[in-house]
Amino acid sequence: MMVDFVPDKTVYPFESRWFDSSGGRVHYIDEGVGPPILFCHGSPTWSFLYRKIVAGLRVRYRCIAVDYLGFGLSERPENFGYRIAGHTTVLGELIDHLQLDGFVLMGQDWGGPIGLGAATERADRIRGLVLGNTAFWPIEPLANRAFSLIMGSRHMQRRILEQNLLVERFLLGELGRTLTETEANHYRMVQPTVEARRGLAVMPKEIRAARTQLAQLAQDVPALLGKKPALAVWGMRDMVFRPKACIPRIHEAFTDLAVVELPHARHFIQEHAPGEIISAIANRFP
């Protein structure tokens, strides 16, 4: 199933591109010319989350932003499991299809584990890493695990599917008046039906279910990517990936790490502080 939604060019001024992966048809944008940067979103967002950052960087970089299967404008295949491992495989296929080499990868939220999972298998092609409000280790805090358990319950799964709970309450609840109605609708309208939201419903359960993959990343990231130039851009008011717990873990993994604190940003840093992120990336990877 494909989503019947056409983005408004006034807020998403990019050409849609498509890749037929082993799991289904993937939507992405590929804008600008220069050193490549691959942007990986989390849940419940899509490449729209990076629109301001892509617009600001495409004058000097080749900016690629992907929608995972089940998200954004990408296909919702019935036989795809929407697990982190599956998304990682499909992202790797896109990287290979585009023949990306010497590229910077940015991941936020689940975009961290998904992007890093693909990057560890292609470490010789990675120029550097940008991590924002994410984790690449098993997520242990009780609040996070309780969220996973509650969101995986039958009642909450029904609310995610029938009421678009993750978009309406968690994403738009945080961003509030920072978005125009048109922008808010771009998050809503790519998830218009129960069938279109099945990929979203899997993600909260992965906090616990993807423990094996996250444990492997906790070993592989320092071993295979730990000497790459890295940048952490962190929303200091995020209650999901708390800076005092997460930033030290990232320091331990990378020998060449710069940290840019975003003091007023919460979880969806691309919406809260796009200008600061644009400057941080340009300064770190000139």
Side-chain angles (χ1 to χ4, degrees):
M1 183 192 80
M2 301 296 295
V3 173
D4 185 18
F5 173 69
V6 179
D8 185 334
K9 288 291 187 181
T10 64
V11 292
Y12 190 76
F14 313 120
E15 178 186 351
S16 288
R17 301 174 187 269
W18 305 93
F19 167 60
D20 291 320
S21 76
S22 63
R25 198 170 191 225
V26 173
H27 173 263
Y28 68 99
I29 58 174
D30 191 340
E31 299 281 322
V33 177
I37 306 178
L38 175 62
F39 296 99
C40 301
H41 66 84
S43 176
T45 61
W46 57 293
S47 56
F48 185 76
L49 181 71
Y50 284 103
R51 69 196 179 283
K52 295 178 182 178
I53 295 172
V54 170
L57 290 175
R58 63 178 173 175
V59 296
R60 57 189 295 187
Y61 300 92
R62 177 187 177 190
C63 297
I64 301 147
V66 61
D67 298 345
Y68 312 134
L69 292 174
F71 291 78
L73 304 182
S74 289
E75 188 178 1
R76 274 73 168 162
E78 292 184 6
N79 59 349
F80 188 73
Y82 302 105
R83 303 288 304 277
I84 298 306
H87 290 306
T88 300
T89 296
V90 169
L91 180 65
E93 292 175 1
L94 177 63
I95 291 170
D96 295 343
H97 169 73
L98 296 176
Q99 299 181 328
L100 296 183
D101 197 6
F103 68 99
V104 172
L105 181 141
M106 178 175 180
Q108 180 261 347
D109 189 79
W110 279 114
I114 293 169
L116 289 169
T120 53
E121 297 180 355
R122 298 160 180 84
D124 60 329
R125 293 157 59 185
I126 301 295
R127 177 188 177 193
L129 299 159
V130 182
L131 301 176
N133 296 71
T134 188
F136 50 86
W137 52 82
I139 300 170
E140 302 292 0
L142 181 59
N144 300 74
R145 294 177 62 81
F147 175 82
S148 178
L149 183 64
I150 293 168
M151 290 296 113
S153 68
R154 182 178 299 179
H155 171 67
M156 297 307 290
Q157 285 281 293
R158 187 165 60 249
R159 291 189 65 188
I160 291 170
L161 293 171
E162 296 178 359
Q163 301 174 23
N164 207 12
L165 178 72
L166 296 180
V167 170
E168 294 292 345
R169 178 175 177 182
F170 294 100
L171 190 152
L172 298 180
E174 173 180 319
L175 297 175
R177 296 180 180 179
T178 64
L179 298 179
T180 66
E181 188 66 17
T182 297
E183 290 172 322
N185 282 336
H186 276 62
Y187 287 117
R188 292 186 175 108
M189 294 171 69
V190 291
Q191 314 290 356
T193 65
V194 168
E195 291 73 20
R197 299 171 191 148
R198 300 216 176 264
L200 271 68
V202 174
M203 283 299 206
K205 296 186 285 187
E206 287 292 271
I207 293 172
R208 294 177 302 131
R211 181 180 175 83
T212 298
Q213 288 91 343
L214 292 170
Q216 189 63 51
L217 280 178
Q219 299 180 27
D220 290 347
V221 169
L224 300 173
L225 301 172
K227 295 182 180 180
K228 303 285 184 179
L231 169 67
V233 283
W234 218 266
M236 301 301 286
R237 295 187 177 183
D238 188 4
M239 301 300 289
V240 180
F241 296 106
R242 296 173 184 261
K244 288 184 178 180
C246 296
I247 294 176
R249 293 289 298 265
I250 297 176
H251 268 294
E252 292 174 2
F254 295 99
T255 60
D256 183 11
L257 175 70
V259 177
V260 173
E261 297 182 359
L262 308 172
H264 304 295
R266 295 172 65 185
H267 183 64
F268 298 104
I269 57 174
Q270 300 92 328
E271 294 285 6
H272 292 296
E276 292 92 327
I277 296 170
I278 290 168
S279 296
I281 292 173
N283 291 333
R284 186 69 169 118
F285 301 102

